[in-house]
Amino acid sequence: MKGPKGVFVCQECGYESAKWMGKCPACASWNRFAEEVRHGAAMVKASSRRSASRRGLASASASSAAGQAAAMPVPVGQVVSGDEERLITGIGEFDRVLGGGVVAGSVALIGGDPGIGKSTILLQVSASVARRIGPVLYVTGEESVRQVGLRAARLDAVAERLLVLAETDIVSIVDRIQTVCPALVVIDSIQTMDDPGLESSPGSVGQVRECTARLMRVAKEEGTPVFLVGHVTKSGAIAGPKVLEHIVDTVLYFEGESTHAHRIIRAVKNRYGSTDEVGMFAMTDAGLEQVENPSETLLSERPGGAAGSVVVASVEGTRPLLVEVQSLVARSAMGTPRRTTTGVDYNRTAIIIAVLDRRGGFAIGMEDIYVNVAGGVTLSEPAADLGIAAAIVSSFRGVPASSGTVVFGEVGLAGELRAVSRADLRVAEAQRLGFERCVLPRHNLKNMARRPGGVEIIGAASVREALDAVFAGVNT
Ligand SMILES: Nc1ncnc2c1ncn2[C@@H]1O[C@H](COP(=O)(O)OP(=O)(O)OP(=O)(O)O)[C@@H](O)[C@H]1O
Ligand SMILES: [Mg+2]
């Protein structure tokens, strides 16, 4: 075996270097390099291994050395698939994002901005599991037991088998997990956890990685699912190492504007399910409530007959979602016009503006243009393009879109309207909510399996044509 070898690791981003550096070449932060000692390929820090054996706990490399049988290859056909044991939390929207419940022995990381509601949702999930299935261990490193208790009372999350543990020492937490044998473990947050065998402080790359590795191990051994709360840095990444996202089985992100009630939980990585499901919630005094009919909720405040407001049929995962896109176009007081977007991509919007200006014959190149998606929702798919275009034109001309109209379609640089996925699903949702007309790409018409009755479907080949349909019958 090779002797110990020091590696300098940036505590901000996990960048590794053979020598100490003042400034990290990867993330440009200063004075964040700390030395970690590794033995060959074992990747276990010298100090942590020493402390693990002192405490009688076998670390990964030590346990394989201690006579555990080496793994045998298995024909892949003999592996039973598709029926991994799942624990249903009872909070439907949460189960949906996970792909139909939490897989036994899996580790999920939940990230999101401060105050967005990570502790809230996990406390609600914990109470639900404790009531339905068995004991839940909620470990808090950030709050006192009393604070968690008060929150539980406010959220109606008091359950007999919901156990709160205020602890940051990972070794004793693993101990508790082994003695309590809970149905679910929540760690709030991974950045506060501390492996006493390491010299670096909690939240550092080494600490976060080592604590997560220990929790992974106990999760797999006991078959207990573990949820980790992870803080998010200014740049939106989960604080500490990117490596954390690679280690865990599932990564969920909590999105939403803290000034809005709506919250969306999105899976960005899932080893046991699709990553395009989202869960919708609304923040209330009594905690996060599931939004079972998101389209209806999102459209409930829509002003009728106002210029600059258009309804877009978008799809989040497998779920159709009708959202209102708003725009305001105003004469610019400055030489350079202002463009501001919330909820839609800035660059995408800039392209749509250029297309409208050059191909659509709308002289908006010198106007200030604001685009906003109502309800704090973010639209990331190109199918929203036509909605953005229609909202801008509606405001520019001071003319509302004809009532009861829903639009979707991707706008190309030549001003053409391009087909998008899942057209039937979008039309069906529009019909369900009582809309009368759908303006969509002509190319989508030929692949539409079923055409729901009651909705007039208008296929357009270009943005120009689509806009004619959107404003048809409205006095200009
Ligand atoms: N007493 C209260 N009444 C109503 N709503 C509250 C109350 N206390 C907190 N909230 C809501 O809960 C939100 C905080 O949620 P939570 O503590 O779950 O966030 P978090 O993501 O865990 O934050 P952090 O990163 O700081 O731990 C607040 O932004 C607020 O909207
Ligand atoms: Mg919290």
Side-chain angles (χ1 to χ4, degrees):
M1 194 187 227
K2 274 195 222 152
K5 200 169 145 212
V7 177
F8 292 88
V9 182
C10 172
Q11 300 299 310
E12 208 61 44
C13 71
Y15 181 87
E16 292 180 8
S17 155
K19 46 183 212 304
W20 187 88
M21 283 189 276
K23 184 184 177 184
C24 175
C27 68
S29 54
W30 285 90
N31 287 333
R32 299 291 286 142
F33 277 86
E35 186 173 14
E36 288 180 8
V37 179
R38 292 178 188 173
H39 288 263
M43 300 275 278
V44 174
K45 274 150 232 151
S47 49
S48 85
R49 185 190 286 182
R50 239 180 285 121
S51 85
S53 50
R54 191 177 61 231
R55 288 166 189 274
L57 283 168
S59 74
S61 56
S63 69
S64 57
Q68 204 183 60
M72 290 299 288
V74 185
V76 69
Q78 282 180 17
V79 184
V80 190
S81 67
D83 55 1
E84 60 275 282
E85 201 187 318
R86 283 184 190 262
L87 178 151
I88 308 297
T89 66
I91 296 188
E93 291 291 297
F94 197 73
D95 288 330
R96 164 200 273 270
V97 195
L98 291 164
V102 196
V103 173
S106 70
V107 174
L109 179 66
I110 294 161
D113 290 336
I116 195 99
K118 302 179 291 296
S119 306
T120 304
I121 188 71
L122 288 180
L123 199 58
Q124 289 178 281
V125 166
S126 300
S128 176
V129 171
R131 285 181 190 136
R132 295 162 48 100
I133 297 158
V136 175
L137 190 62
Y138 186 100
V139 183
T140 171
E142 310 205 321
E143 293 163 305
S144 64
V145 172
R146 189 183 138 75
Q147 274 174 306
V148 176
L150 287 174
R151 177 180 289 134
R154 173 166 64 86
L155 303 178
D156 188 25
V158 178
E160 205 174 316
R161 293 184 290 183
L162 171 50
L163 310 171
V164 183
L165 173 67
E167 179 64 85
T168 56
D169 180 335
I170 197 69
V171 177
S172 57
I173 291 169
V174 168
D175 241 29
R176 289 286 178 274
I177 296 174
Q178 281 159 340
T179 48
V180 175
C181 292
L184 175 73
V185 175
V186 174
I187 306 286
D188 189 359
S189 66
I190 189 66
Q191 275 93 1
T192 54
M193 293 301 138
D194 181 31
D195 183 333
L198 298 186
E199 274 148 33
S200 46
S201 55
S204 67
V205 172
Q207 284 283 5
V208 168
R209 189 167 51 200
E210 199 56 31
C211 292
T212 308
R214 279 178 187 261
L215 290 165
M216 282 296 275
R217 234 172 282 145
V218 70
K220 305 285 173 222
E221 281 164 15
E222 311 282 324
T224 309
V226 176
F227 286 125
L228 309 174
V229 172
H231 291 298
V232 167
T233 58
K234 280 184 257 83
S235 54
I238 293 199
K242 195 73 185 163
V243 286
L244 193 53
E245 297 193 16
H246 293 292
I247 312 175
V248 299
D249 299 307
T250 305
V251 180
L252 306 180
Y253 266 98
F254 221 123
E255 294 173 1
E257 313 256 324
S258 49
T259 48
H260 274 96
H262 293 111
R263 300 282 185 277
I264 289 180
I265 301 186
R266 194 186 292 278
V268 293
K269 163 178 172 175
N270 193 350
R271 285 185 181 149
Y272 304 105
S274 118
T275 50
D276 45 30
E277 286 302 345
V278 297
M280 292 267 309
F281 294 89
M283 181 62 93
T284 69
D285 282 354
L288 287 155
E289 262 171 30
Q290 305 185 58
V291 178
E292 259 132 37
N293 202 340
S295 296
E296 204 168 299
T297 316
L298 289 171
L299 294 180
S300 60
E301 288 176 50
R302 182 169 178 250
S309 156
V310 169
V311 179
V312 174
S314 84
V315 172
E316 284 288 351
T318 56
R319 163 191 284 185
L321 199 61
L322 298 191
V323 277
E324 178 194 357
V325 177
Q326 298 181 322
S327 178
L328 187 63
V329 179
R331 178 81 323 160
S332 182
M334 241 88 67
T336 330
R338 274 175 70 98
R339 269 82 210 256
T340 309
T341 64
T342 7
V344 292
D345 184 54
Y346 180 86
N347 293 321
R348 192 94 215 146
T349 306
I351 292 173
I352 294 167
I353 292 170
V355 169
L356 288 174
D357 190 64
R358 296 296 304 274
R359 316 265 179 205
F362 300 101
I364 51 174
M366 290 312 289
E367 305 279 329
D368 283 346
I369 298 175
Y370 307 93
V371 178
N372 175 38
V373 181
V377 177
T378 302
L379 291 179
S380 48
E381 47 156 18
D385 288 359
L386 183 58
I388 300 171
I392 292 173
V393 170
S394 167
S395 174
F396 176 63
R397 294 170 62 191
V399 174
S402 55
S403 68
T405 302
V406 167
V407 304
F408 61 87
E410 179 180 349
V411 172
L413 288 187
E416 81 278 21
L417 202 57
R418 309 178 77 102
V420 299
S421 62
R422 297 176 184 271
D424 344 25
L425 198 63
R426 300 173 202 262
V427 174
E429 179 75 352
Q431 181 208 24
R432 193 177 71 80
L433 283 154
F435 283 85
E436 294 142 24
R437 307 161 74 233
C438 237
V439 181
L440 50 96
R442 182 168 297 159
H443 286 293
N444 269 123
L445 294 182
K446 49 178 187 286
N447 296 328
M448 279 180 67
R450 59 199 157 90
R451 298 221 185 151
V455 188
E456 187 191 351
I457 295 176
I458 303 161
S462 68
V463 190
R464 190 72 240 202
E465 224 180 292
L467 291 175
D468 285 346
V470 170
F471 298 104
V474 184
N475 284 333
T476 44

